[in-house]
Amino acid sequence: MLIETDKRLALQAYEQILNLILTGAAQPGAMVTERRLAETLNMSRTPIRDALLMLEGEGLLIRQGSRGLQVKQMRIEDYMDALQVRQMLEPEAARLAAGHMPAASLDELEADLKSLIGNPGNGEGKPDRGSVRDVDDRLHGGIGDAAGNPQLAQIIRTLRRQTQIFDLRSMPERFEATCHEHLDIVQALREGRGDDAAQAMRRHLEHVRDSIIGRLTRA
């Protein structure tokens, strides 16, 4: 029972620290310490330490010798490399997951995506990043889990963590297109059309890549 409690607390700490990183509250290049995080999150240092090790393993934190851990400063080259690997893996994961994701989960995803398109969330026509990230996690993560290969699911999850730093902060113009692309993926998954699910995922990731390249070209 104690081990299960420790694991649950570590996962809670992981999610909270991850949220600090993805929302920008913990800025790229910032040093993070167990003591400060324990005070911020009102938790003991043991689950914080376990959570930091998990985030280091995912590449979101980089160890800087005796100075401790630093939030990774994601270079565009790092992003493009991770996205390239995602383009190799996620279409096949979608193919394997087609027809195997729970209908209730797909129904919820479809309803949430349509709601986001109709009501972005902050009254100014701008996307609510928290809601978008939640739907994105549930779709891509659910595909990885439904593919039936835990190692593949973990690799995809790690790569996605690294690319999420360049999410809607970098590509707000992709919001509505992303929702529609996700709806195409959901429909193919629901109907068990593996080849179409793979193609929809491939097309989605290609559009993400093209948007980043276009933004760099215009800069």
Side-chain angles (χ1 to χ4, degrees), residues 112-127:
D112 289 344
L113 285 163
K114 290 179 177 178
S115 176
L116 283 170
I117 293 170
N119 179 21
N122 66 0
E124 300 176 1
K126 296 179 181 178

Side-chain angles (χ1 to χ4, degrees), residues 63-77:
R63 190 165 296 279
Q64 299 292 346
S66 60
R67 296 176 58 207
L69 291 166
Q70 181 182 51
V71 179
K72 182 174 182 177
Q73 300 188 55
M74 180 71 76
R75 302 176 307 142
I76 191 63
E77 292 86 358

Side-chain angles (χ1 to χ4, degrees), residues 34-197:
E34 292 176 18
R35 179 181 58 78
R36 230 176 300 166
L37 285 170
E39 293 172 357
T40 300
L41 302 180
N42 194 28
M43 299 181 73
S44 70
R45 292 176 65 168
T46 299
I48 297 291
R49 184 180 307 117
D50 292 341
L52 292 177
L53 287 173
M54 293 165 65
L55 290 162
E56 182 183 6
E58 291 185 350
L60 293 181
L61 298 177
I62 305 296
R63 190 165 296 279
Q64 299 292 346
S66 60
R67 296 176 58 207
L69 291 166
Q70 181 182 51
V71 179
K72 182 174 182 177
Q73 300 188 55
M74 180 71 76
R75 302 176 307 142
I76 191 63
E77 292 86 358
D78 297 327
Y79 173 87
M80 296 303 286
D81 286 347
L83 185 60
Q84 184 179 43
V85 181
R86 287 183 62 189
Q87 287 179 278
M88 297 175 184
L89 299 180
E90 289 198 63
E92 182 59 26
R95 187 193 310 277
L96 294 171
H100 297 288
M101 285 185 70
S105 298
L106 294 172
D107 288 344
E108 289 178 8
L109 283 166
E110 182 177 0
D112 289 344
L113 285 163
K114 290 179 177 178
S115 176
L116 283 170
I117 293 170
N119 179 21
N122 66 0
E124 300 176 1
K126 296 179 181 178
D128 178 71
R129 289 180 55 238
S131 298
V132 174
R133 182 159 64 85
D134 174 64
V135 172
D136 196 67
D137 280 343
R138 283 156 49 206
L139 176 59
H140 288 268
I143 288 171
D145 292 337
N149 186 320
Q151 292 191 46
L152 175 62
Q154 183 56 50
I155 292 169
I156 290 173
R157 187 172 291 111
T158 298
L159 290 167
R160 290 192 61 254
R161 293 296 185 226
Q162 295 176 19
T163 56
Q164 276 180 318
I165 296 175
F166 279 79
D167 61 7
L168 292 173
R169 283 174 293 175
S170 300
M171 299 183 293
E173 72 279 2
R174 282 280 305 151
F175 165 66
E176 189 167 339
T178 292
C179 289
H180 285 293
E181 289 161 14
H182 280 170
L183 284 171
D184 289 342
I185 296 169
V186 167
Q187 190 65 22
L189 291 169
R190 184 197 307 281
E191 297 174 1
R193 295 183 281 112
D195 288 346
D196 290 342

